[in-house]
Amino acid sequence: MDELREKCPWDKKQTVHTLRQQTLEEVYELADALSNENWKDIKEELGDVLLHIVFYSRIASEQKQFTLDDVIEGVCNKLVTRHPHIYADVQADDEDQVKQNWEKIKLKEGKKSVLSGVPPSMPAMMKALRLQEKTKQVGFEWDHIDQVKEKVDEEIGELYEAVAEKNQEEIEQEFGDVLFALVNYSRFLKLDAEQALEKTNRKFIRRFQQMEEMAAAQGRALHDMTLMEMDALWNEVKTTE
């Protein structure tokens, strides 16, 4: 990186702002590799993410802000501080106690809210999950999954009422409440809502593309078919799966 920064015209021009979008892309590529459990791609994408960490640290050192060593030292110190059940005399018998201690320590470090660590730019479904996980650590949590199911049913009922009243602003609000409640329900089912939806997305893509192939085999295109004809193809694809 030192050599590239000094000799490569492209690398010389980069700033933390120009690299930001590329970093997001690299993280999404890593996420795809993780979802597919493709270890070859995971290794490659981890390297790409690591490159960005090195790149940002090099830029920071040029501006006399910090070095890569500072980054590594900082995270090591954080891990020691936030694992007092390993490096001190705090008791933590299970995962939930570890998370509760973690949030308490963050507040002692100066965080004004247990929610302050959730990035504003995080995708909405992932953000909903993190908000719920964090508030759980202070006891703001349903006692039983049946209560969560009732909440989902309640929010869906309120959505249907808003739809019947044709109030678009209210519909949007209630639809958001339904999604938030479903994310909560997924936690109690021990599911990752984001991953579940992604699997459904991939299943839809796979089935739809098979429909396109079946239509092409008949010498036709989907846009020339009726909905009933396409639905028949869809059901055939489902049957073959």
Side-chain angles (χ1 to χ4, degrees):
M1 176 52 62
D2 289 341
E3 190 169 33
L4 292 175
R5 189 69 173 165
E6 293 169 6
K7 299 179 180 179
C8 175
W10 184 88
D11 288 285
K12 283 182 179 180
K13 290 179 59 178
Q14 301 314 303
T15 68
V16 294
H17 303 294
T18 61
L19 288 173
R20 179 181 180 277
Q21 183 60 38
Q22 295 175 51
T23 304
L24 292 174
E25 291 174 8
E26 296 296 354
V27 172
Y28 278 119
E29 289 177 2
L30 173 59
D32 285 340
L34 292 169
S35 294
N36 294 329
E37 215 169 315
N38 185 324
W39 292 101
K40 177 178 177 295
D41 287 351
I42 290 173
K43 180 179 71 172
E44 180 178 345
E45 299 306 337
L46 282 172
D48 291 342
V49 172
L50 178 58
L51 172 61
H52 279 243
I53 294 171
V54 173
F55 210 147
Y56 288 120
S57 298
R58 163 70 196 213
I59 295 173
S61 67
E62 292 170 0
Q63 299 185 17
K64 304 294 188 292
Q65 296 296 326
F66 56 81
T67 66
L68 180 60
D69 284 346
D70 295 331
V71 173
I72 298 171
E73 181 71 16
V75 74
C76 287
N77 290 338
K78 181 189 295 185
L79 288 173
V80 171
T81 301
R82 294 187 182 179
H83 287 78
H85 54 289
I86 302 296
Y87 300 104
D89 57 359
V90 173
Q91 186 72 20
D93 298 323
D94 56 37
E95 178 185 359
D96 286 339
Q97 285 186 322
V98 171
K99 290 181 178 179
Q100 289 169 11
N101 288 338
W102 185 281
E103 295 301 335
K104 290 176 183 177
I105 293 168
K106 287 174 69 175
L107 289 175
K108 289 180 181 178
E109 291 173 347
K111 303 289 185 182
K112 295 182 179 180
S113 167
V114 295
L115 303 180
S116 59
V118 181
S121 58
M122 180 180 283
M125 184 167 290
M126 294 172 60
K127 185 188 293 185
L129 176 61
R130 293 298 292 136
L131 292 173
Q132 294 167 11
E133 287 177 338
K134 283 183 171 292
T135 54
K136 173 186 176 182
Q137 305 313 319
V138 296
F140 192 70
E141 176 77 310
W142 296 104
D143 294 321
H144 194 273
I145 190 171
D146 289 342
Q147 297 172 309
V148 187
K149 180 180 180 298
E150 289 175 8
K151 187 63 176 177
V152 171
D153 293 339
E154 175 190 324
E155 297 295 356
I156 290 176
E158 292 178 359
L159 171 62
Y160 290 159
E161 289 176 10
V163 171
E165 294 171 3
K166 299 181 180 180
N167 184 325
Q168 194 62 29
E169 184 175 340
E170 192 72 16
I171 290 171
E172 181 183 49
Q173 178 177 321
E174 297 300 341
F175 189 82
D177 289 347
V178 170
L179 292 177
F180 194 85
L182 283 172
V183 170
N184 213 359
Y185 194 41
S186 76
R187 287 195 306 114
F188 277 77
L189 293 172
K190 309 300 182 185
L191 296 174
D192 183 332
E194 180 78 20
Q195 184 169 323
L197 180 58
E198 177 57 21
K199 286 184 177 179
T200 295
N201 288 339
R202 294 186 181 197
K203 178 172 63 178
F204 181 86
I205 291 170
R206 183 179 68 250
R207 290 179 175 177
F208 191 84
Q209 289 177 339
Q210 285 180 304
M211 285 173 56
E212 291 176 315
E213 292 171 3
M214 292 169 67
Q218 299 174 12
R220 308 181 66 186
L222 291 181
H223 58 73
D224 294 326
M225 302 175 73
T226 66
L227 179 58
M228 186 175 297
E229 289 174 321
M230 286 189 284
D231 194 47
L233 287 180
W234 180 268
N235 289 329
E236 187 176 343
V237 170
K238 287 178 63 177
T239 300
T240 57
E241 288 187 344

